[in-house]
Amino acid sequence: MNKKIGITEVVLRDGNQSLLSTRLKLEDIIPIASKLDDIGYSSIESWGGAIFDSCVRYLDEDPWERLREFKKAMPKTKQQMLLRGQNLVGYKHYSDEIVSKFIEKSVLNGIDIFRIFDALNDLRNIKHSVEIVKKNGKHAQGTIAYTISPVHTLQTWVDLAKEIEDLDCNSLCIKDMSGILSPEFAYNLISKLKKEISIPVHLHTHATTGMSNLTNMRAVEAGVDNIDTSISSMSMGYGHSATETMIYLLNEKNIDVDINLNDLLKISEYFKTIRDKYKEFEGSMKGVDLQMLINQVPGGMLSNLETQLKNLGKEELLDDVVSEIYEVRKDVGFVPLVTPASQIIGAQALSNILNERYETLSIEIIDLILGYYGKLPGEINTNLFKKALEQKNNITERPADLLKEKFEDFKENLKQYCNKLKIKDLSNIEENILTFILIPYGSEKIFKRMSS
Ligand code: CO
């Protein structure tokens, strides 16, 4: 018998995010939660990423309440979240004190495994999160945000993985958010990693380019310890390999996954019905899109851009914007296209197409160019760098070292905000303060509801 492979079910977070723009409501998840809990997944990714934002802005849900409900409904299975390091679940850096508080509260409300990444793969931006997760007795998974570019080689990833192990992470994740990790590269990389590092290696890949089943299988052959899948009726497209498919393929190779294929049928049936209710949030992609192999644009980013262009009545510009994303990415040193860099680059590319190239620079891209998000992987376009420098100075230190914001100050701010909204004071609950910090202007609706 070959070694056992862990299966992380991602339908509640990334499946939901990649296929339904993160709109799945808690009430549509709870009825199936106990069945998910019975399967025997190594973990269920259920929180973090865009979930927090979507709960507050679109679903009128308290994200903390969602997490507590998940924990209650799935007591046997480890709950996993995606954490953007120093960005938490937001789009900018927060001070170390706020990062600590957020992680502490995530642990108390139910998270067991923290998958922690930084969009730039600048490990200075995940170091503090890793320390705090470990201090709270939980599993810290250090993450490589995989990309393809002239400045990223196999050795880049091996070196990064070693540094992640040196940070004392419990495991490593190769995060391929756009489905561009090819089977052979995955095999070579993971074979090498299994020789060079001793912590477990997890693979997270997407089905977008059609390679994911093969990539996952080659990863297994190379010795990967855990793969991410999504229940079949919420799989493929911008999403992930189907859980059932992967289990079938693994069974055939006599690899133990400890999951019964038949148990998954009811879950798949359930999500099939539910998915129908969320039709309007689905992207237009059908089948497979090889565009990603050329431009490395992740699915979530494409569906966002589609929606934005639709709202502007300029759907026909999508291809232009996608090509422009490549140009902008090159000009800022080939950062991986993952949140928040993907939003920053996407917005700049859109602006470059609607106006003249770099006629206007967003505050965010100026910060990205000048080091406020961390160190960029490659060279920055000199003219662009000069243009950004006209706005402010660049920095080379760890960005969060400049941030002195205090948790206590936000408590006072929230108190005043509640006063202004003429609702009862919600600042006595620390989770509310964190929600207020992360989504300052989006939280009015849920706060009003919570106070009534
Ligand atoms: Co993903």
mmCIF file with all atom_site columns, all heavy atoms in Angstrom, residues 10 13-15 17-18 45 82 115 175-179 204-206 228 238-240 298 338, ligand 1:
data_model
loop_
_atom_site.group_PDB
_atom_site.id
_atom_site.type_symbol
_atom_site.label_atom_id
_atom_site.label_alt_id
_atom_site.label_comp_id
_atom_site.label_asym_id
_atom_site.label_entity_id
_atom_site.label_seq_id
_atom_site.pdbx_PDB_ins_code
_atom_site.Cartn_x
_atom_site.Cartn_y
_atom_site.Cartn_z
_atom_site.occupancy
_atom_site.B_iso_or_equiv
_atom_site.pdbx_formal_charge
_atom_site.auth_seq_id
_atom_site.auth_comp_id
_atom_site.auth_asym_id
_atom_site.auth_atom_id
_atom_site.pdbx_PDB_model_num
ATOM   1   N  N   . VAL A 1 10  ? -12.319 22.073 -0.851  1.00 0.00 ? 10  VAL A N   1
ATOM   2   C  CA  . VAL A 1 10  ? -12.287 23.538 -0.900  1.00 0.00 ? 10  VAL A CA  1
ATOM   3   C  C   . VAL A 1 10  ? -13.611 24.179 -1.325  1.00 0.00 ? 10  VAL A C   1
ATOM   4   O  O   . VAL A 1 10  ? -13.689 25.393 -1.536  1.00 0.00 ? 10  VAL A O   1
ATOM   5   C  CB  . VAL A 1 10  ? -11.153 24.054 -1.829  1.00 0.00 ? 10  VAL A CB  1
ATOM   6   C  CG1 . VAL A 1 10  ? -9.787  23.598 -1.329  1.00 0.00 ? 10  VAL A CG1 1
ATOM   7   C  CG2 . VAL A 1 10  ? -11.387 23.633 -3.266  1.00 0.00 ? 10  VAL A CG2 1
ATOM   8   N  N   . ARG A 1 13  ? -14.848 27.496 0.383   1.00 0.00 ? 13  ARG A N   1
ATOM   9   C  CA  . ARG A 1 13  ? -14.109 28.741 0.213   1.00 0.00 ? 13  ARG A CA  1
ATOM   10  C  C   . ARG A 1 13  ? -13.727 28.943 -1.258  1.00 0.00 ? 13  ARG A C   1
ATOM   11  O  O   . ARG A 1 13  ? -14.351 29.717 -1.968  1.00 0.00 ? 13  ARG A O   1
ATOM   12  C  CB  . ARG A 1 13  ? -12.866 28.759 1.133   1.00 0.00 ? 13  ARG A CB  1
ATOM   13  C  CG  . ARG A 1 13  ? -12.340 30.158 1.453   1.00 0.00 ? 13  ARG A CG  1
ATOM   14  C  CD  . ARG A 1 13  ? -11.645 30.891 0.333   1.00 0.00 ? 13  ARG A CD  1
ATOM   15  N  NE  . ARG A 1 13  ? -10.425 30.224 -0.128  1.00 0.00 ? 13  ARG A NE  1
ATOM   16  C  CZ  . ARG A 1 13  ? -9.676  30.658 -1.139  1.00 0.00 ? 13  ARG A CZ  1
ATOM   17  N  NH1 . ARG A 1 13  ? -9.995  31.769 -1.767  1.00 0.00 ? 13  ARG A NH1 1
ATOM   18  N  NH2 . ARG A 1 13  ? -8.615  29.991 -1.536  1.00 0.00 ? 13  ARG A NH2 1
ATOM   19  N  N   . ASP A 1 14  ? -12.736 28.210 -1.716  1.00 0.00 ? 14  ASP A N   1
ATOM   20  C  CA  . ASP A 1 14  ? -12.217 28.532 -3.050  1.00 0.00 ? 14  ASP A CA  1
ATOM   21  C  C   . ASP A 1 14  ? -13.159 28.099 -4.174  1.00 0.00 ? 14  ASP A C   1
ATOM   22  O  O   . ASP A 1 14  ? -13.272 28.792 -5.191  1.00 0.00 ? 14  ASP A O   1
ATOM   23  C  CB  . ASP A 1 14  ? -10.826 27.907 -3.243  1.00 0.00 ? 14  ASP A CB  1
ATOM   24  C  CG  . ASP A 1 14  ? -9.994  28.683 -4.249  1.00 0.00 ? 14  ASP A CG  1
ATOM   25  O  OD1 . ASP A 1 14  ? -10.461 29.727 -4.733  1.00 0.00 ? 14  ASP A OD1 1
ATOM   26  O  OD2 . ASP A 1 14  ? -8.872  28.235 -4.554  1.00 0.00 ? 14  ASP A OD2 1
ATOM   27  N  N   . GLY A 1 15  ? -13.846 26.960 -3.996  1.00 0.00 ? 15  GLY A N   1
ATOM   28  C  CA  . GLY A 1 15  ? -14.824 26.533 -5.003  1.00 0.00 ? 15  GLY A CA  1
ATOM   29  C  C   . GLY A 1 15  ? -15.895 27.605 -5.139  1.00 0.00 ? 15  GLY A C   1
ATOM   30  O  O   . GLY A 1 15  ? -16.225 28.074 -6.243  1.00 0.00 ? 15  GLY A O   1
ATOM   31  N  N   . GLN A 1 17  ? -15.612 30.695 -4.213  1.00 0.00 ? 17  GLN A N   1
ATOM   32  C  CA  . GLN A 1 17  ? -15.015 31.950 -4.697  1.00 0.00 ? 17  GLN A CA  1
ATOM   33  C  C   . GLN A 1 17  ? -14.758 31.907 -6.206  1.00 0.00 ? 17  GLN A C   1
ATOM   34  O  O   . GLN A 1 17  ? -15.025 32.866 -6.919  1.00 0.00 ? 17  GLN A O   1
ATOM   35  C  CB  . GLN A 1 17  ? -13.717 32.221 -3.933  1.00 0.00 ? 17  GLN A CB  1
ATOM   36  C  CG  . GLN A 1 17  ? -13.086 33.568 -4.232  1.00 0.00 ? 17  GLN A CG  1
ATOM   37  C  CD  . GLN A 1 17  ? -11.918 33.892 -3.299  1.00 0.00 ? 17  GLN A CD  1
ATOM   38  O  OE1 . GLN A 1 17  ? -11.900 33.466 -2.141  1.00 0.00 ? 17  GLN A OE1 1
ATOM   39  N  NE2 . GLN A 1 17  ? -10.944 34.613 -3.790  1.00 0.00 ? 17  GLN A NE2 1
ATOM   40  N  N   . SER A 1 18  ? -14.240 30.777 -6.687  1.00 0.00 ? 18  SER A N   1
ATOM   41  C  CA  . SER A 1 18  ? -13.851 30.696 -8.101  1.00 0.00 ? 18  SER A CA  1
ATOM   42  C  C   . SER A 1 18  ? -15.048 30.547 -9.032  1.00 0.00 ? 18  SER A C   1
ATOM   43  O  O   . SER A 1 18  ? -15.013 31.006 -10.168 1.00 0.00 ? 18  SER A O   1
ATOM   44  C  CB  . SER A 1 18  ? -12.916 29.515 -8.321  1.00 0.00 ? 18  SER A CB  1
ATOM   45  O  OG  . SER A 1 18  ? -11.794 29.611 -7.487  1.00 0.00 ? 18  SER A OG  1
ATOM   46  N  N   . GLU A 1 45  ? -11.430 23.675 3.622   1.00 0.00 ? 45  GLU A N   1
ATOM   47  C  CA  . GLU A 1 45  ? -11.138 25.108 3.543   1.00 0.00 ? 45  GLU A CA  1
ATOM   48  C  C   . GLU A 1 45  ? -12.472 25.840 3.515   1.00 0.00 ? 45  GLU A C   1
ATOM   49  O  O   . GLU A 1 45  ? -13.264 25.684 2.585   1.00 0.00 ? 45  GLU A O   1
ATOM   50  C  CB  . GLU A 1 45  ? -10.327 25.432 2.283   1.00 0.00 ? 45  GLU A CB  1
ATOM   51  C  CG  . GLU A 1 45  ? -9.785  26.853 2.323   1.00 0.00 ? 45  GLU A CG  1
ATOM   52  C  CD  . GLU A 1 45  ? -9.298  27.348 0.976   1.00 0.00 ? 45  GLU A CD  1
ATOM   53  O  OE1 . GLU A 1 45  ? -10.024 27.203 -0.022  1.00 0.00 ? 45  GLU A OE1 1
ATOM   54  O  OE2 . GLU A 1 45  ? -8.199  27.893 0.921   1.00 0.00 ? 45  GLU A OE2 1
ATOM   55  N  N   . LEU A 1 82  ? -7.630  30.653 4.354   1.00 0.00 ? 82  LEU A N   1
ATOM   56  C  CA  . LEU A 1 82  ? -6.584  31.275 3.558   1.00 0.00 ? 82  LEU A CA  1
ATOM   57  C  C   . LEU A 1 82  ? -6.336  32.671 4.118   1.00 0.00 ? 82  LEU A C   1
ATOM   58  O  O   . LEU A 1 82  ? -7.258  33.481 4.197   1.00 0.00 ? 82  LEU A O   1
ATOM   59  C  CB  . LEU A 1 82  ? -7.012  31.366 2.095   1.00 0.00 ? 82  LEU A CB  1
ATOM   60  C  CG  . LEU A 1 82  ? -5.959  31.963 1.159   1.00 0.00 ? 82  LEU A CG  1
ATOM   61  C  CD1 . LEU A 1 82  ? -4.756  31.036 1.036   1.00 0.00 ? 82  LEU A CD1 1
ATOM   62  C  CD2 . LEU A 1 82  ? -6.544  32.234 -0.224  1.00 0.00 ? 82  LEU A CD2 1
ATOM   63  N  N   . ARG A 1 115 ? -3.477  28.664 6.089   1.00 0.00 ? 115 ARG A N   1
ATOM   64  C  CA  . ARG A 1 115 ? -2.623  28.689 4.897   1.00 0.00 ? 115 ARG A CA  1
ATOM   65  C  C   . ARG A 1 115 ? -2.259  30.148 4.666   1.00 0.00 ? 115 ARG A C   1
ATOM   66  O  O   . ARG A 1 115 ? -3.128  30.972 4.379   1.00 0.00 ? 115 ARG A O   1
ATOM   67  C  CB  . ARG A 1 115 ? -3.363  28.116 3.692   1.00 0.00 ? 115 ARG A CB  1
ATOM   68  C  CG  . ARG A 1 115 ? -2.569  28.229 2.407   1.00 0.00 ? 115 ARG A CG  1
ATOM   69  C  CD  . ARG A 1 115 ? -3.244  27.521 1.262   1.00 0.00 ? 115 ARG A CD  1
ATOM   70  N  NE  . ARG A 1 115 ? -3.192  26.081 1.414   1.00 0.00 ? 115 ARG A NE  1
ATOM   71  C  CZ  . ARG A 1 115 ? -3.910  25.217 0.683   1.00 0.00 ? 115 ARG A CZ  1
ATOM   72  N  NH1 . ARG A 1 115 ? -4.730  25.676 -0.236  1.00 0.00 ? 115 ARG A NH1 1
ATOM   73  N  NH2 . ARG A 1 115 ? -3.800  23.923 0.888   1.00 0.00 ? 115 ARG A NH2 1
ATOM   74  N  N   . LYS A 1 175 ? 0.822   26.998 -4.140  1.00 0.00 ? 175 LYS A N   1
ATOM   75  C  CA  . LYS A 1 175 ? -0.486  27.558 -4.469  1.00 0.00 ? 175 LYS A CA  1
ATOM   76  C  C   . LYS A 1 175 ? -0.470  28.042 -5.909  1.00 0.00 ? 175 LYS A C   1
ATOM   77  O  O   . LYS A 1 175 ? 0.162   29.037 -6.238  1.00 0.00 ? 175 LYS A O   1
ATOM   78  C  CB  . LYS A 1 175 ? -0.769  28.716 -3.505  1.00 0.00 ? 175 LYS A CB  1
ATOM   79  C  CG  . LYS A 1 175 ? -2.039  29.502 -3.745  1.00 0.00 ? 175 LYS A CG  1
ATOM   80  C  CD  . LYS A 1 175 ? -2.132  30.590 -2.673  1.00 0.00 ? 175 LYS A CD  1
ATOM   81  C  CE  . LYS A 1 175 ? -3.069  31.710 -3.066  1.00 0.00 ? 175 LYS A CE  1
ATOM   82  N  NZ  . LYS A 1 175 ? -4.471  31.286 -3.143  1.00 0.00 ? 175 LYS A NZ  1
ATOM   83  N  N   . ASP A 1 176 ? -1.174  27.298 -6.749  1.00 0.00 ? 176 ASP A N   1
ATOM   84  C  CA  . ASP A 1 176 ? -1.225  27.637 -8.172  1.00 0.00 ? 176 ASP A CA  1
ATOM   85  C  C   . ASP A 1 176 ? -2.619  28.161 -8.477  1.00 0.00 ? 176 ASP A C   1
ATOM   86  O  O   . ASP A 1 176 ? -3.498  27.420 -8.898  1.00 0.00 ? 176 ASP A O   1
ATOM   87  C  CB  . ASP A 1 176 ? -0.897  26.375 -8.993  1.00 0.00 ? 176 ASP A CB  1
ATOM   88  C  CG  . ASP A 1 176 ? -1.185  26.553 -10.470 1.00 0.00 ? 176 ASP A CG  1
ATOM   89  O  OD1 . ASP A 1 176 ? -1.100  27.683 -10.965 1.00 0.00 ? 176 ASP A OD1 1
ATOM   90  O  OD2 . ASP A 1 176 ? -1.509  25.535 -11.136 1.00 0.00 ? 176 ASP A OD2 1
ATOM   91  N  N   . MET A 1 177 ? -2.815  29.455 -8.274  1.00 0.00 ? 177 MET A N   1
ATOM   92  C  CA  . MET A 1 177 ? -4.158  30.023 -8.325  1.00 0.00 ? 177 MET A CA  1
ATOM   93  C  C   . MET A 1 177 ? -4.704  30.117 -9.743  1.00 0.00 ? 177 MET A C   1
ATOM   94  O  O   . MET A 1 177 ? -5.896  30.290 -9.925  1.00 0.00 ? 177 MET A O   1
ATOM   95  C  CB  . MET A 1 177 ? -4.197  31.396 -7.630  1.00 0.00 ? 177 MET A CB  1
ATOM   96  C  CG  . MET A 1 177 ? -3.102  32.366 -7.990  1.00 0.00 ? 177 MET A CG  1
ATOM   97  S  SD  . MET A 1 177 ? -1.571  31.936 -7.103  1.00 0.00 ? 177 MET A SD  1
ATOM   98  C  CE  . MET A 1 177 ? -0.405  33.029 -7.910  1.00 0.00 ? 177 MET A CE  1
ATOM   99  N  N   . SER A 1 178 ? -3.847  30.006 -10.763 1.00 0.00 ? 178 SER A N   1
ATOM   100 C  CA  . SER A 1 178 ? -4.361  30.125 -12.129 1.00 0.00 ? 178 SER A CA  1
ATOM   101 C  C   . SER A 1 178 ? -4.303  28.824 -12.921 1.00 0.00 ? 178 SER A C   1
ATOM   102 O  O   . SER A 1 178 ? -4.594  28.829 -14.104 1.00 0.00 ? 178 SER A O   1
ATOM   103 C  CB  . SER A 1 178 ? -3.618  31.227 -12.892 1.00 0.00 ? 178 SER A CB  1
ATOM   104 O  OG  . SER A 1 178 ? -2.636  31.818 -12.118 1.00 0.00 ? 178 SER A OG  1
ATOM   105 N  N   . GLY A 1 179 ? -3.938  27.734 -12.278 1.00 0.00 ? 179 GLY A N   1
ATOM   106 C  CA  . GLY A 1 179 ? -3.913  26.454 -12.992 1.00 0.00 ? 179 GLY A CA  1
ATOM   107 C  C   . GLY A 1 179 ? -2.841  26.362 -14.048 1.00 0.00 ? 179 GLY A C   1
ATOM   108 O  O   . GLY A 1 179 ? -2.999  25.699 -15.075 1.00 0.00 ? 179 GLY A O   1
ATOM   109 N  N   . HIS A 1 204 ? -2.063  23.021 -4.228  1.00 0.00 ? 204 HIS A N   1
ATOM   110 C  CA  . HIS A 1 204 ? -3.334  23.681 -4.529  1.00 0.00 ? 204 HIS A CA  1
ATOM   111 C  C   . HIS A 1 204 ? -3.269  24.149 -5.977  1.00 0.00 ? 204 HIS A C   1
ATOM   112 O  O   . HIS A 1 204 ? -2.495  25.042 -6.329  1.00 0.00 ? 204 HIS A O   1
ATOM   113 C  CB  . HIS A 1 204 ? -3.525  24.890 -3.606  1.00 0.00 ? 204 HIS A CB  1
ATOM   114 C  CG  . HIS A 1 204 ? -4.748  25.698 -3.928  1.00 0.00 ? 204 HIS A CG  1
ATOM   115 N  ND1 . HIS A 1 204 ? -5.988  25.385 -3.434  1.00 0.00 ? 204 HIS A ND1 1
ATOM   116 C  CD2 . HIS A 1 204 ? -4.927  26.799 -4.698  1.00 0.00 ? 204 HIS A CD2 1
ATOM   117 C  CE1 . HIS A 1 204 ? -6.874  26.268 -3.894  1.00 0.00 ? 204 HIS A CE1 1
ATOM   118 N  NE2 . HIS A 1 204 ? -6.253  27.127 -4.663  1.00 0.00 ? 204 HIS A NE2 1
ATOM   119 N  N   . THR A 1 205 ? -4.065  23.505 -6.836  1.00 0.00 ? 205 THR A N   1
ATOM   120 C  CA  . THR A 1 205 ? -4.044  23.942 -8.238  1.00 0.00 ? 205 THR A CA  1
ATOM   121 C  C   . THR A 1 205 ? -5.470  24.107 -8.750  1.00 0.00 ? 205 THR A C   1
ATOM   122 O  O   . THR A 1 205 ? -6.418  23.627 -8.138  1.00 0.00 ? 205 THR A O   1
ATOM   123 C  CB  . THR A 1 205 ? -3.234  22.957 -9.119  1.00 0.00 ? 205 THR A CB  1
ATOM   124 O  OG1 . THR A 1 205 ? -3.156  23.469 -10.445 1.00 0.00 ? 205 THR A OG1 1
ATOM   125 C  CG2 . THR A 1 205 ? -3.856  21.575 -9.169  1.00 0.00 ? 205 THR A CG2 1
ATOM   126 N  N   . HIS A 1 206 ? -5.614  24.824 -9.852  1.00 0.00 ? 206 HIS A N   1
ATOM   127 C  CA  . HIS A 1 206 ? -6.941  25.071 -10.443 1.00 0.00 ? 206 HIS A CA  1
ATOM   128 C  C   . HIS A 1 206 ? -7.073  24.382 -11.795 1.00 0.00 ? 206 HIS A C   1
ATOM   129 O  O   . HIS A 1 206 ? -6.084  24.115 -12.473 1.00 0.00 ? 206 HIS A O   1
ATOM   130 C  CB  . HIS A 1 206 ? -7.156  26.584 -10.606 1.00 0.00 ? 206 HIS A CB  1
ATOM   131 C  CG  . HIS A 1 206 ? -7.536  27.267 -9.325  1.00 0.00 ? 206 HIS A CG  1
ATOM   132 N  ND1 . HIS A 1 206 ? -8.767  27.827 -9.105  1.00 0.00 ? 206 HIS A ND1 1
ATOM   133 C  CD2 . HIS A 1 206 ? -6.845  27.461 -8.168  1.00 0.00 ? 206 HIS A CD2 1
ATOM   134 C  CE1 . HIS A 1 206 ? -8.828  28.343 -7.880  1.00 0.00 ? 206 HIS A CE1 1
ATOM   135 N  NE2 . HIS A 1 206 ? -7.658  28.136 -7.296  1.00 0.00 ? 206 HIS A NE2 1
ATOM   136 N  N   . ASP A 1 228 ? -5.742  19.504 -2.967  1.00 0.00 ? 228 ASP A N   1
ATOM   137 C  CA  . ASP A 1 228 ? -7.000  20.227 -2.767  1.00 0.00 ? 228 ASP A CA  1
ATOM   138 C  C   . ASP A 1 228 ? -7.975  19.868 -3.879  1.00 0.00 ? 228 ASP A C   1
ATOM   139 O  O   . ASP A 1 228 ? -7.620  19.921 -5.066  1.00 0.00 ? 228 ASP A O   1
ATOM   140 C  CB  . ASP A 1 228 ? -6.754  21.743 -2.846  1.00 0.00 ? 228 ASP A CB  1
ATOM   141 C  CG  . ASP A 1 228 ? -6.082  22.286 -1.606  1.00 0.00 ? 228 ASP A CG  1
ATOM   142 O  OD1 . ASP A 1 228 ? -5.578  21.472 -0.808  1.00 0.00 ? 228 ASP A OD1 1
ATOM   143 O  OD2 . ASP A 1 228 ? -6.055  23.516 -1.450  1.00 0.00 ? 228 ASP A OD2 1
ATOM   144 N  N   . TYR A 1 238 ? -13.094 27.554 -13.649 1.00 0.00 ? 238 TYR A N   1
ATOM   145 C  CA  . TYR A 1 238 ? -12.145 28.368 -12.883 1.00 0.00 ? 238 TYR A CA  1
ATOM   146 C  C   . TYR A 1 238 ? -11.778 27.694 -11.555 1.00 0.00 ? 238 TYR A C   1
ATOM   147 O  O   . TYR A 1 238 ? -10.919 28.167 -10.825 1.00 0.00 ? 238 TYR A O   1
ATOM   148 C  CB  . TYR A 1 238 ? -12.760 29.725 -12.521 1.00 0.00 ? 238 TYR A CB  1
ATOM   149 C  CG  . TYR A 1 238 ? -13.039 30.665 -13.667 1.00 0.00 ? 238 TYR A CG  1
ATOM   150 C  CD1 . TYR A 1 238 ? -14.277 31.311 -13.764 1.00 0.00 ? 238 TYR A CD1 1
ATOM   151 C  CD2 . TYR A 1 238 ? -12.061 30.955 -14.603 1.00 0.00 ? 238 TYR A CD2 1
ATOM   152 C  CE1 . TYR A 1 238 ? -14.535 32.212 -14.788 1.00 0.00 ? 238 TYR A CE1 1
ATOM   153 C  CE2 . TYR A 1 238 ? -12.320 31.856 -15.628 1.00 0.00 ? 238 TYR A CE2 1
ATOM   154 C  CZ  . TYR A 1 238 ? -13.556 32.485 -15.721 1.00 0.00 ? 238 TYR A CZ  1
ATOM   155 O  OH  . TYR A 1 238 ? -13.811 33.384 -16.722 1.00 0.00 ? 238 TYR A OH  1
ATOM   156 N  N   . GLY A 1 239 ? -12.498 26.610 -11.229 1.00 0.00 ? 239 GLY A N   1
ATOM   157 C  CA  . GLY A 1 239 ? -12.326 25.948 -9.939  1.00 0.00 ? 239 GLY A CA  1
ATOM   158 C  C   . GLY A 1 239 ? -11.247 24.877 -9.931  1.00 0.00 ? 239 GLY A C   1
ATOM   159 O  O   . GLY A 1 239 ? -10.175 25.059 -10.515 1.00 0.00 ? 239 GLY A O   1
ATOM   160 N  N   . HIS A 1 240 ? -11.549 23.750 -9.313  1.00 0.00 ? 240 HIS A N   1
ATOM   161 C  CA  . HIS A 1 240 ? -10.532 22.740 -9.013  1.00 0.00 ? 240 HIS A CA  1
ATOM   162 C  C   . HIS A 1 240 ? -10.914 21.375 -9.565  1.00 0.00 ? 240 HIS A C   1
ATOM   163 O  O   . HIS A 1 240 ? -12.050 21.161 -9.957  1.00 0.00 ? 240 HIS A O   1
ATOM   164 C  CB  . HIS A 1 240 ? -10.360 22.643 -7.504  1.00 0.00 ? 240 HIS A CB  1
ATOM   165 C  CG  . HIS A 1 240 ? -10.300 23.985 -6.840  1.00 0.00 ? 240 HIS A CG  1
ATOM   166 N  ND1 . HIS A 1 240 ? -11.432 24.725 -6.565  1.00 0.00 ? 240 HIS A ND1 1
ATOM   167 C  CD2 . HIS A 1 240 ? -9.252  24.743 -6.448  1.00 0.00 ? 240 HIS A CD2 1
ATOM   168 C  CE1 . HIS A 1 240 ? -11.086 25.877 -6.033  1.00 0.00 ? 240 HIS A CE1 1
ATOM   169 N  NE2 . HIS A 1 240 ? -9.770  25.929 -5.953  1.00 0.00 ? 240 HIS A NE2 1
ATOM   170 N  N   . PRO A 1 298 ? -5.554  34.673 -13.261 1.00 0.00 ? 298 PRO A N   1
ATOM   171 C  CA  . PRO A 1 298 ? -6.390  33.711 -12.546 1.00 0.00 ? 298 PRO A CA  1
ATOM   172 C  C   . PRO A 1 298 ? -7.885  33.885 -12.824 1.00 0.00 ? 298 PRO A C   1
ATOM   173 O  O   . PRO A 1 298 ? -8.332  34.988 -13.166 1.00 0.00 ? 298 PRO A O   1
ATOM   174 C  CB  . PRO A 1 298 ? -6.102  33.992 -11.068 1.00 0.00 ? 298 PRO A CB  1
ATOM   175 C  CG  . PRO A 1 298 ? -5.122  35.087 -11.018 1.00 0.00 ? 298 PRO A CG  1
ATOM   176 C  CD  . PRO A 1 298 ? -4.921  35.645 -12.387 1.00 0.00 ? 298 PRO A CD  1
ATOM   177 N  N   . VAL A 1 338 ? -2.043  37.415 -7.695  1.00 0.00 ? 338 VAL A N   1
ATOM   178 C  CA  . VAL A 1 338 ? -2.871  36.931 -6.608  1.00 0.00 ? 338 VAL A CA  1
ATOM   179 C  C   . VAL A 1 338 ? -3.216  38.143 -5.743  1.00 0.00 ? 338 VAL A C   1
ATOM   180 O  O   . VAL A 1 338 ? -2.514  39.159 -5.799  1.00 0.00 ? 338 VAL A O   1
ATOM   181 C  CB  . VAL A 1 338 ? -2.113  35.813 -5.836  1.00 0.00 ? 338 VAL A CB  1
ATOM   182 C  CG1 . VAL A 1 338 ? -0.859  36.331 -5.166  1.00 0.00 ? 338 VAL A CG1 1
ATOM   183 C  CG2 . VAL A 1 338 ? -3.003  35.101 -4.830  1.00 0.00 ? 338 VAL A CG2 1
HETATM 184 CO CO  . CO  B 2 .   ? -7.268  28.881 -5.349  1.00 0.00 ? 1   CO  B CO  1
#
